[in-house]
Amino acid sequence: MNKPVMPLSSLSLKLPKADRSIETYRLAAARNFPAKLEGTLNRVAFSAAHVVADPLADVDPWLASAVDWDRTIAFREHIWDLGLGVAEAMDTAQRGMGLDWPTSLELIQRSVRAAKARGGALVFSGAGTDHLAVEDARTIDDVIRAYEEQIAAVEKAGGRIILMASRALAKLGRNADDYARVYNRVLSQVREPVIIHWLGDIFDPALGNYWGTESLDTAMDIAVGIINANAAKVDGVKVSLLDKQREIDMRRRLDKGVKMYTGDDFNYAELIAGDDKGFSHALLGIFDAIAPAASYALSRLSAGDEAGFHDVLGPTVPLSRHIFKAPTRFYKTGIVFMAYLNGHQDHFTMVGGQESTRSTLHLAELFRLADQAGLLSNPEMATRRMKAVLALRGIEA
């Protein structure tokens, strides 16, 4: 059912190329993935979900965020239908990059309520320190109090915690003792085991030298030591370093009760498949854009069909590497553009005006790669919408 019945479709459009020429691009035949999970999963898989901006709100996007709550929650329903969990109010939702803490908390509250209304759909939510301006953070105790405040708010909403990396801690933490003090204190108080998120500075330059050192080898030692010392309070670790071998090395060093959640948007297929020594679960921004394919691929893996898993998920990797290319922090633009192409929102408008962070050439290549991976759920609509965006950027159909 999932194989193209013909190599090309009848749809075409004009797309720009790097040499400034314009090509007539003919779309491939579509692949059709189930709209709901078929079968079971043997990996825990979260999609870090984006928010849908309200394009008609009378706000200045650089200064204030306006969210279309109905479409934002509807997108989470789509993720849950596919058997995936939602990682809420993370960097994919532009947390700390257009989405402030009060709006993030409202998002968390709404998402947790929606999950409970479905009988307990899987949702974990980000708790960090982003309401504390980095310049106002004076001491390690300030960081601890900020974490405690957000954790209390998420737990009051009935939510599970993803403990986000802290820009304030990156500024103030000088060594392993500083980080141990913060994490030991915070983890001692959480109601249920949390997911710890190690977000590399490739995603957020303000998180450089996290764990108190420039050396990633030393940082790994410090992180593993703190996590394993608090294993009863840690469900898992999400590593977003875009470094496959470091993730594998860390995975093998974790306490056996602590899961590894890959955050590697370059190498997720092979990390999820794993090897004879283990595998990674998933907590990925790219799963927002490729959720139907991800769900189907994971169901094939669970059924023992590893070839089918790679047949579906492998072609999505070039798209993901393109969306997450440097400057990686702008990947949210590609995620939202995919949601627009696939009809999950009626506009290409983002919180913070972030739709402007990628070039016309970038969006054109994204379209090609999404098409070639069979990820355009309605190719006619996607083509029409791509033409509209190109027309605004001076390329007429």
Side-chain angles (χ1 to χ4, degrees):
M1 93 157 210
N2 243 358
K3 296 293 185 183
V5 297
M6 54 186 292
L8 294 172
S9 78
S10 60
L11 293 167
S12 65
L13 75 167
K14 291 184 170 67
L15 292 178
K17 298 172 65 176
D19 64 3
R20 306 182 70 87
S21 65
I22 304 294
E23 70 166 345
T24 297
Y25 177 80
R26 190 175 176 190
L27 277 71
R31 300 183 83 171
N32 296 311
F33 299 108
K36 295 189 176 183
L37 174 64
E38 295 184 353
T40 60
L41 302 182
N42 62 0
R43 303 287 190 270
V44 182
F46 288 91
S47 163
H50 77 285
V51 294
V52 182
D54 179 355
L56 300 181
D58 186 15
V59 299
D60 296 309
W62 283 22
L63 303 178
S65 57
V67 177
D68 181 336
W69 293 114
D70 290 343
R71 296 303 289 267
T72 292
I73 296 301
F75 187 79
R76 281 135 182 83
E77 298 281 356
H78 158 70
I79 295 296
W80 288 323
D81 281 345
L82 291 163
L84 307 179
V86 169
E88 192 56 274
M90 302 295 289
D91 48 299
T92 305
Q94 299 177 243
R95 177 75 175 271
M97 307 169 194
L99 200 72
D100 58 19
W101 167 239
T103 310
S104 298
L105 179 57
E106 182 174 359
L107 174 62
I108 291 166
Q109 292 166 338
R110 287 173 178 266
S111 193
V112 169
R113 286 198 300 269
K116 289 182 177 179
R118 291 177 62 101
L122 183 60
V123 57
F124 275 53
S125 302
T129 67
D130 50 313
H131 65 292
L132 172 65
V134 172
E135 60 270 20
D136 294 334
R138 307 297 183 193
T139 68
I140 293 296
D141 284 335
D142 291 339
V143 177
I144 292 172
R145 282 190 293 269
Y147 267 129
E148 290 173 339
E149 182 178 338
Q150 290 203 12
I151 288 169
V154 176
E155 291 186 339
K156 182 179 180 181
R160 295 287 301 273
I161 301 290
I162 300 171
L163 200 63
M164 301 175 68
S166 166
R167 291 172 176 170
L169 181 54
K171 170 195 170 187
L172 295 172
R174 294 288 179 260
N175 51 46
D177 290 343
D178 286 341
Y179 280 80
R181 180 180 167 198
V182 172
Y183 280 90
N184 290 344
R185 171 73 175 274
V186 169
L187 290 171
S188 73
Q189 301 176 67
V190 294
R191 188 168 61 201
E192 297 179 90
V194 308
I195 297 172
I196 291 177
H197 187 189
W198 180 1
L199 186 68
D201 58 4
I202 190 171
F203 286 89
D204 184 351
L207 295 175
N209 300 334
Y210 210 71
W211 305 107
T213 176
E214 294 181 1
S215 165
L216 280 175
D217 291 336
T218 304
M220 183 74 72
D221 292 340
I222 294 168
V224 169
I226 290 171
I227 291 161
N228 287 348
N230 293 278
K233 292 288 191 174
V234 180
D235 170 83
V237 184
K238 168 180 162 62
V239 176
S240 299
L241 299 176
L242 302 184
D243 187 325
K244 177 180 66 175
Q245 192 56 50
R246 286 190 188 280
E247 177 177 319
I248 292 170
D249 292 344
M250 187 176 190
R251 185 171 78 195
R252 293 174 179 171
R253 295 175 62 186
L254 291 174
D255 181 278
K256 64 181 180 179
V258 177
K259 302 181 188 73
M260 170 59 75
Y261 291 95
T262 185
D264 189 333
D265 299 278
F266 284 6
N267 302 292
Y268 50 90
E270 55 189 298
L271 288 163
I272 293 168
D275 54 32
D276 58 356
K277 296 182 180 178
F279 58 83
S280 295
H281 299 275
L283 199 166
L284 290 160
I286 193 58
F287 275 16
D288 179 299
I290 68 168
S295 171
Y296 184 72
L298 289 167
S299 74
R300 297 314 309 151
L301 185 64
S302 181
D305 179 11
E306 188 166 340
F309 166 82
H310 286 294
D311 174 64
V312 173
L313 209 58
T316 72
V317 173
L319 171 68
S320 187
R321 291 182 176 183
H322 179 70
I323 287 175
F324 283 80
K325 70 185 295 186
T328 301
R329 65 185 182 277
F330 295 146
Y331 78 87
K332 280 78 74 174
T333 302
I335 297 293
V336 174
F337 193 58
M338 282 291 294
Y340 170 63
L341 292 177
N342 280 327
H344 295 293
Q345 54 195 79
D346 297 327
H347 56 83
F348 181 38
T349 302
M350 295 177 64
V351 169
Q354 291 287 298
E355 66 272 17
S356 67
T357 67
R358 292 296 200 185
S359 70
T360 304
L361 283 173
H362 182 91
L363 298 181
E365 184 63 11
L366 182 156
F367 184 90
R368 293 184 187 95
L369 293 170
D371 170 59
Q372 291 159 17
L375 296 172
L376 300 178
S377 59
N378 182 332
E380 292 85 358
M381 179 180 65
T383 299
R384 185 170 64 251
R385 290 184 166 192
M386 186 74 214
K387 287 180 178 179
V389 169
L390 289 170
L392 286 172
R393 298 183 176 211
I395 300 169
E396 298 294 339

